[in-house]
Amino acid sequence: MTDSLPEGLLLAFYGDDFTGSTDAMEVTAMAGLRTVLFTAPPSEEDLARFADCRVIGIAGTARARSPEWMAAQLPPIFDRLAALGPRILQYKVCSTFDSAPHTGSIGKATELGAAAVPPGWIPSIVGAPQLGRFQAFGSLFATASGRQYRIDRHPTMARHPVTPMTEADLRLHLARQADVPIGGIDLAEQASGDLSARIADAQSAGQVTFLDVACAVSQRAAGAMVWETSGETVFCPSSSGLQYALVAHWRASGLLPSDPPPLPRHAPVDRLLVLSGSCSPVTAEQIATAEDAGFALLRMDVLKAADPARAGAEVARIQDEMSKAFADNRRGVLVYAARTVDDPAYAALQTWVRSAGMPMATAQAGIGAALGQIALRAVPRFALDRVVIAGGDTSGRVLETLPVLALEVAHPLAPGAPICQCHATDPDFDGLQVVLKGGQLGPPDVFCQAMVPKAPCD
């Protein structure tokens, strides 16, 4: 299948959150390239176990971290991945590019990642039409409820509780976070013909160059620009738009088959646990749909979960409620922190953190850790075969709690949210299937579909 592609590692990436990492893994895995996602930097033994993989990723939590944390943690990871000799080294970012100078700085990560590879241009692909993400003339647009919004007017991302997007032009947005040359190759330039001189200028300047992607044609063009100009390892701070663009170029060039063998559909499970820390309206609709379908909904007390002195008792309460729900033959149990940022629980949390003098990020980390403890106890207690986690930061906190070494895509579910199989030394978690769903992704019945494929929820 990959005889025409160069031997060895094609792409290595560090994902700034777990849901985005599985999103990126899904694209190349569905294209027929074996892809593994580690939950922590792998050892030599770990790498040897997955030596035949053409794409390797490490899922992380940088999206919720400070620049100081990044400066301490990311260079060894980038150096480790670069030493594997991939054609492309990626810092995988969210397709909404939400970030800020103080939290999840894509600019800081870009400066650190570029230092791990030979000097050259730094192409960035963010648009991914498959996910409802479009970039035109440097500005990012995202779909919500069937409509396209400029990202700084998006009903969710413009109001993100930690990193609201207040600028749609990604060049201006990144310039607030990094002191590097920044430019772009827009749709008009792509249509004008030979771009070799333009790319050469970007390479000599070490420029971060945003490549517009708004359709299938521009997606293939962006993939070609990155792949055909990457003689040495090139660093790309990009969303899974990079993976989509590369696969589109490889297929158009005959390097990959257009129709690889499809992954099998998943089997139904008798019990499903869903854990949600997302405040997205998309997830809120999915929660409501699951409730209508008969899922037992358990609201977490976020004030207790965020308080280290009370979190243990709240986890125990949720476990008891979950046990009752399963005993009542409720096949699906959904534990959630809040529905949207307009949920009274979110307002109460804001008031509490102010009175406690606690940063909101610390409180959110505590909630994620509590959800992780729920999963850690529930999987063996209820013999769960599949767990769904909603929310990018939440997914990272939960997976960090579980004894899981690596993930591979096992089944398709929804674009950007596949069903993954866990590799672990603990027999309770080895083979466990997990879905890490970003807040903006998935159809209304995605939780129902995760339990029973193609099952209607009404």
Side-chain angles (χ1 to χ4, degrees), residues 8 52 65 69 93 97 109 144 175 250-251 295 306 308 314 318-319 330 356 364 380 396 404 430 446 450 453:
D52 62 334
R65 303 292 190 172
W69 182 94
V93 305
F97 215 74
W250 291 335
R251 285 174 170 166
F295 277 61
E314 179 62 7
I318 293 290
Q319 289 286 320
R330 304 291 287 273
Q364 291 174 318
V404 173
D430 190 44
V446 67

Side-chain angles (χ1 to χ4, degrees), residues 5 107 116 258 275 362 457-458:
L5 285 168
S258 298
L275 303 171
T362 302
C457 288
D458 50 23

Side-chain angles (χ1 to χ4, degrees), residues 21 53 119 142 180 236 251 256 260 285 317 362 364 366 401 409:
S21 297
C53 286
V180 295
C236 297
R251 285 174 170 166
L256 277 181
E285 183 180 11
R317 181 189 71 83
T362 302
Q364 291 174 318
T401 306
V409 173

Side-chain angles (χ1 to χ4, degrees), residues 44 62 66 74 117 120 178 217 254-255 273 288 328 347 362-363 383 405 418 429 442 445:
E44 290 296 333
S66 68
L74 293 187
V117 302
V217 173
L255 302 177
L273 173 62
D328 288 340
T362 302
L405 166 67
F429 292 87
D445 65 347

Side-chain angles (χ1 to χ4, degrees), residues 120-157:
W121 76 325
I122 306 171
S124 178
I125 301 175
V126 182
Q130 293 87 345
L131 302 178
R133 309 291 185 261
F134 310 90
Q135 183 179 313
F137 299 96
S139 291
L140 182 61
F141 298 79
T143 302
S145 300
R147 292 183 55 191
Q148 280 69 51
Y149 295 87
R150 208 172 69 182
I151 198 67
D152 56 349
R153 297 177 182 174
H154 189 275
T156 301
M157 301 318 301

Side-chain angles (χ1 to χ4, degrees), residues 79-315:
D79 290 342
R80 177 82 167 120
L81 291 175
L84 300 177
R87 182 82 166 260
I88 298 168
L89 174 63
Q90 177 188 14
Y91 179 67
K92 197 282 172 188
V93 305
C94 183
S95 62
T96 50
F97 215 74
D98 52 305
S99 53
H102 61 281
T103 302
S105 172
I106 296 173
K108 182 64 175 180
T110 296
E111 292 174 343
L112 298 170
V117 302
W121 76 325
I122 306 171
S124 178
I125 301 175
V126 182
Q130 293 87 345
L131 302 178
R133 309 291 185 261
F134 310 90
Q135 183 179 313
F137 299 96
S139 291
L140 182 61
F141 298 79
T143 302
S145 300
R147 292 183 55 191
Q148 280 69 51
Y149 295 87
R150 208 172 69 182
I151 198 67
D152 56 349
R153 297 177 182 174
H154 189 275
T156 301
M157 301 318 301
R159 304 174 61 205
H160 191 283
V162 179
T163 52
M165 287 296 286
T166 59
E167 175 57 64
D169 189 323
L170 298 186
R171 297 164 296 186
L172 299 178
H173 182 72
L174 191 68
R176 297 171 180 170
Q177 304 175 17
D179 184 19
V180 295
I182 301 172
I185 298 178
D186 62 37
L187 296 173
E189 290 178 289
Q190 292 179 26
S192 67
D194 186 8
L195 294 171
S196 57
R198 174 70 182 84
I199 293 173
D201 289 343
Q203 289 173 326
S204 62
Q207 182 189 80
V208 176
T209 308
F210 288 100
L211 308 180
D212 276 2
V213 170
C215 61
V217 173
S218 54
Q219 189 168 69
R220 289 195 300 271
M225 279 186 273
V226 173
W227 185 251
E228 299 300 335
T229 59
S230 305
E232 297 182 284
T233 300
V234 62
F235 179 70
C236 297
S238 301
S239 75
S240 61
L242 172 66
Q243 277 82 353
Y244 281 112
L246 289 172
V247 168
H249 170 62
W250 291 335
R251 285 174 170 166
S253 303
L255 302 177
L256 277 181
S258 298
D259 298 305
L263 293 174
R265 293 292 296 174
H266 57 290
V269 290
D270 293 330
R271 291 177 172 179
L272 181 73
L273 173 62
V274 179
L275 303 171
S276 176
S278 170
C279 289
S280 163
V282 173
T283 304
E285 183 180 11
Q286 293 161 346
I287 291 173
T289 303
E291 183 177 26
D292 291 343
F295 277 61
L297 263 59
L298 306 180
R299 178 187 280 272
M300 170 180 278
D301 186 324
V302 294
L303 303 187
K304 292 179 180 178
D307 184 349
R310 298 186 290 170
E314 179 62 7
V315 169

Side-chain angles (χ1 to χ4, degrees), residues 1-5 28-34 54 254-257 259-261:
M1 179 191 303
T2 60
D3 290 345
S4 297
L5 285 168
T28 48
M30 295 286 283
L33 299 169
R34 191 181 181 198
R54 309 305 308 279
L255 302 177
L256 277 181
D259 298 305

